Amino acid sequence: MSIKLIAIDVDQTLLNSNGQVLPSTVKAVQAALAANIKVVLCSGRPLAGVRPYLTQLGISGADQYVITFNGAVTESVAGTILAQSLINNPLYRELTAFSKAQRVPLNVLDWQSVIYTADRDVNWVMVQQAWENHAGLLIREPDELPTDFQIAKAVFTGEGAQLDAAEPRIRASFGNDLYIVRASTHFLEIMNARVNKGQALADLAHHLGFAPEDVLAIGDEQNDLPMFKVAGTAIAMGNGGAAAKRAADAVTGTNDADGVAQAIEKWALQAN
């Protein structure tokens, strides 16, 4: 088996617990690139939120790719859109109305990475999210935006206990029409029903002419499970959740202990 594409989650996988890329990860990624292996960052973040890491890793050009918004947008690192699946305006309005009625903070991102919220009392999670993604944060009511305004992703944010309580109601209200995934303690993310990292990864692999056995996926959380299903080799981080570890073919080191580098070296470079 020869690995031709490595799909890597960003938060708590590519990045250590301090939000940094380890030197060992940079070295392993650059070795993979030198071996003509595509390295694709797959994240819930927009392109602006992953671009600093692409630069640090040396991933550039029109023939390298990134999957953003948990699969809602697939594009080249140069910014050419290959595919996008957005949430329409009526559903965006329903999500906003639900957020207000249920008092659960909500923000949405358009495909150009701008964050919008109708909440005038902006919580700390939302502010941190905007900072991490190098995105603007605009307070706007739906009626202040164009009638054809569409979004790449909606995010319910807040403390863990608040989202734990709200998640069943959110799934009951929107689960038939949209893809809902708990990306972390503070984020419950909502995308187009077709969207997930696995579908985007499968579509990109097909576009490149790669079979599932050519793909290695590395991740840590529930939103990585769909890409584990489509990759020939799925590796969970040592710091990953129980669901990710159960779904993976193997478990590597933690994000603080060279886990990504270990996975690339063992299951991609040595296998090739």
Side-chain angles (χ1 to χ4, degrees):
M1 181 179 67
S2 177
I3 296 298
K4 299 177 182 177
L5 189 158
I6 304 171
I8 309 175
D9 171 56
V10 173
D11 291 290
Q12 302 301 317
T13 299
L14 180 76
L15 305 182
N16 68 6
S17 56
N18 293 319
Q20 300 170 333
V21 181
L22 295 175
S24 63
T25 300
V26 176
K27 182 179 178 180
V29 167
Q30 291 181 349
L33 294 170
N36 293 318
I37 299 172
K38 302 288 187 188
V39 179
V40 179
L41 301 190
C42 301
S43 177
R45 298 185 183 214
L47 179 58
V50 299
R51 191 174 292 285
Y53 311 119
L54 294 168
T55 300
Q56 189 174 353
L57 295 167
I59 303 173
S60 63
D63 62 344
Q64 298 293 342
Y65 302 92
V66 60
I67 292 170
T68 56
F69 299 109
N70 273 324
V73 179
T74 302
E75 56 196 307
S76 74
V77 174
T80 301
I81 303 291
L82 272 68
Q84 62 179 12
S85 299
L86 306 179
I87 296 174
N88 64 31
N89 190 265
L91 280 170
Y92 154 63
R93 288 172 175 269
E94 287 183 33
L95 287 162
T96 301
F98 178 95
S99 166
K100 290 186 173 185
Q102 299 292 324
R103 299 181 180 275
V104 184
L106 175 78
N107 67 76
V108 302
L109 294 89
D110 66 12
W111 69 271
Q112 295 177 312
S113 307
V114 178
I115 299 177
Y116 298 85
T117 182
D119 298 333
R120 299 196 178 275
D121 295 324
V122 179
N123 70 16
W124 71 268
V125 181
M126 214 177 290
V127 173
Q128 180 174 310
Q129 178 191 5
W131 177 78
E132 288 178 343
N133 290 318
H134 303 271
L137 177 57
L138 303 179
I139 298 175
R140 298 288 188 274
E141 293 288 344
D143 287 342
E144 296 179 276
L145 296 167
T147 56
D148 60 351
F149 178 73
Q150 299 183 87
I151 60 174
K153 182 173 73 170
V155 187
F156 286 98
T157 65
E159 301 299 335
Q162 181 183 23
L163 290 185
D164 289 344
E167 184 171 350
R169 300 195 302 272
I170 294 168
R171 290 188 179 277
S173 298
F174 299 102
N176 291 332
D177 300 310
L178 296 166
Y179 169 54
I180 302 172
V181 63
R182 187 71 174 267
S184 72
T185 301
H186 300 292
F187 297 110
L188 183 67
E189 303 192 352
I190 318 289
M191 278 75 62
N192 182 291
R194 182 184 182 277
V195 166
N196 60 65
K197 288 186 181 181
Q199 185 63 58
L201 181 58
D203 290 346
L204 177 59
H206 178 76
H207 172 78
L208 295 171
F210 298 161
E213 57 266 26
D214 300 327
V215 178
L216 166 66
I218 309 170
D220 75 301
E221 263 300 344
Q222 293 182 44
N223 60 336
D224 299 316
L225 300 185
M227 71 177 185
F228 281 9
K229 290 182 180 179
V230 304
T233 305
I235 306 300
M237 299 297 292
N239 56 286
K245 291 178 179 177
R246 286 195 301 269
D249 297 304
V251 178
T252 186
T254 71
N255 61 332
D256 289 324
D258 305 316
V260 168
Q262 293 170 16
I264 292 174
E265 290 164 5
K266 181 173 182 178
W267 284 283
L269 298 178
Q270 293 180 14
N272 287 358

